[in-house]
Amino acid sequence: MVQSHHIGQRLSYDGALCTVRYIGEVAGQSGSWLGVEWDDASRGKHNGSHKGTRYFACVSNAPTAASFVRPTRPADKPQSFIKALHEKYASEPLEEETKPQARIIISGTKVAEEMGFDKIRRKLAQVKELKIVLLDGLRIDTPTSGEDAAIADTCPSIKQLDMSRNLLESLDTVEAICRELPALKILRLSGNRFAHISEDETPTSGESAFKHVEEISLEENFLGWEGLCKIARKCPSLATMNVGTNQLSLLPAVNYLHLSSTLTSINLEFNEFTTLWGLGGLQGLHSLRDLHLKGNNISELAPEGSEAPIFPNSLQFLDLSYNNVQSWGFVDRLSTHFPGLAALRLTHNPVYDKHETDSKASSSEETHMFTVARIAGLKSLNFTHITHADRTNAEMFYLSRIARQLAGVPESAETPVLAQHPRYAELCEVYGEPYINRQQEVNPSFLEARLVRVTFHRSDGDTKTTRIPKSSDIYAVKGIAGRLFGLQPLTLRLVWETGEWDPVGGFDDKDGDSSDEEDLDAVGVGKLLDTDLDEDAEKTAGRWVKREVVLKDGPRQLGYCVDGLNVMIRIEV
């Protein structure tokens, strides 16, 4: 029998799906050929061009998605939705399966015997009761055929349906199937190549074939953002839209209709975005809560000369993992462009994975604290709940690192350093301005190199500064302090304030690891944002404390007890 073909036709050869893009002759070859685009792009040999001649274009960007095959090559037989359903869930047992199963002797008289498969088969055969149906890759091309019973009579209870990677050419076929499934809530159509999508509609809950669908998956369909939204608009109750792996790099503004009030989660993983500017088309979704951008190539907020969009306050969860974010400036501005941001995933970005420290453990901990401190409203980072104590420790540690950075430059060069830390002034208001200990290189042969500039201060605010030889012992230092403040030297307690921070020993044993307290819901912030924290209890906890050293009485020289040529010493009576 001669097989007829048409452009856009879906075919399967030995289980490998493809779409007909060309029918005709090929230069240098005899007879007619089919130019096909394989769903598995690694299976082809070119992109529609052969020996310098372009015969057809592929929707995939892959350079090896296309091949030429003979029209006479036998293709796998397509089947209807009903036949695929029965093949998967109600096929008759093979003749050998009806025979008694052989016993498997393990050792001695102990026997291992497979039990219960007949019961499972009978249960699956009751397709009328099936609620979850997975028919991916079963060559479906029509709703019914021949003597098939009506879909509504066969499987009316389906709530979750997967028809990914089939031979569906038109969305009309999908609508015809789903119109018979009144309970359908989750629909997966990934990997299909629809050649026809009917014109835009404004469906009501009573007219749409997808009237109860709350989640739809359209991954690797290559329809463009307008085409994907055209399908999504047919779902009047849609809350979750999965459109990963669609080669998207720019989302133009479209008319979202009801989606602006119903859509709460969009999954755009493994597309081709390089900036947040390319996502500007999402600004019209006023109920959007979760945005998944994992596995793109995002490195900047916007191209030069452009401004990144400001997303609605409703957007609380952002997944930027496995991208190319390299600067802390990007992280600092996230709260500006996502004013409602409460939960962030940032792992597997250069800015998060690389750090100046050599220790990987230390690097991970410090980067985590830097991120928490830079984004004021964050309540969860990388699915780790941020307690009040976690935030306090992160912000104080961040301040100490800014102070260290400032200490490395002259006072005249502070402005460009502080420009890298937009929250510095805000944090100084909360915790006080850190002490900047600038140490200048001094020629060791100079007298200056043998003197320590000591600033003494008391709790009442009285401050005195003097230079003391490194060789002076602590008794001599106390004598100098006593003379400066008119106090008895032996009644004084000297405390060197290092300006650095140390971890609190036993903190994790005492208060537990905050990373295990509460995880973020996979599709949103969930109950995390509604959790009431006992902040009064948390204020007493802390991972980091300021490092201070008591200068004990003795003959030890000052130069061995303190570091640097400029030190701050607190006097206690």
Side-chain angles (χ1 to χ4, degrees), residues 327-381:
S327 74
W328 283 113
F330 183 104
V331 178
D332 289 329
R333 294 178 62 188
L334 284 178
S335 55
T336 300
H337 297 281
F338 298 90
L341 186 64
L344 173 68
R345 190 178 179 209
L346 194 62
T347 53
H348 301 287
N349 279 277
V351 70
Y352 200 89
D353 294 340
K354 296 178 182 178
H355 199 267
E356 60 185 3
T357 57
D358 295 327
S359 168
K360 290 184 179 179
S362 174
S363 172
S364 175
E365 179 74 10
E366 290 185 11
T367 306
H368 180 91
M369 288 194 291
F370 283 165
T371 308
V372 171
R374 287 172 180 269
I375 305 177
L378 214 55
K379 296 183 179 179
S380 174
L381 176 61

Side-chain angles (χ1 to χ4, degrees), residues 260-332:
S260 62
S261 59
T262 65
L263 199 59
T264 60
S265 179
I266 295 183
N267 187 321
L268 287 162
E269 296 179 349
F270 303 105
N271 277 289
E272 298 176 2
F273 297 102
T274 58
T275 67
L276 294 180
W277 176 80
L279 300 160
L282 299 180
Q283 289 177 283
L285 297 171
H286 305 300
S287 296
L288 187 61
R289 188 186 65 186
D290 307 322
L291 180 57
H292 301 260
L293 299 172
K294 172 183 176 182
N296 282 273
N297 193 31
I298 296 172
S299 60
E300 298 178 343
L301 291 165
E304 188 174 352
S306 303
E307 281 293 327
I310 296 179
F311 294 88
N313 288 333
S314 61
L315 206 159
Q316 298 177 332
F317 173 77
L318 176 64
D319 186 350
L320 281 171
S321 60
Y322 293 91
N323 274 278
N324 193 30
V325 178
Q326 303 194 38
S327 74
W328 283 113
F330 183 104
V331 178
D332 289 329

Side-chain angles (χ1 to χ4, degrees), residues 192-254:
N192 286 291
R193 300 288 188 271
F194 298 118
H196 173 67
I197 302 176
S198 59
E199 290 302 311
D200 283 341
E201 301 173 1
T202 307
T204 64
S205 58
E207 297 173 350
S208 173
F210 312 115
K211 57 185 175 181
H212 297 305
V213 172
E214 298 174 358
E215 177 179 344
I216 192 166
S217 293
L218 298 167
E219 298 172 338
E220 205 175 350
N221 293 97
F222 303 144
L223 288 171
W225 183 238
E226 295 92 339
L228 295 169
C229 288
K230 189 180 289 188
I231 296 177
R233 284 195 295 263
K234 294 176 179 289
C235 308
S237 303
L238 192 65
T240 301
M241 183 178 177
N242 301 312
V243 287
T245 322
N246 269 301
Q247 304 177 160
L248 299 172
S249 59
L250 176 65
L251 303 185
V254 298

Side-chain angles (χ1 to χ4, degrees), residues 99-105 111-114:
K99 299 177 182 178
Q101 294 180 339
R103 295 189 307 169
I104 305 173
I105 306 299
V111 177
E113 188 174 8
E114 293 182 337

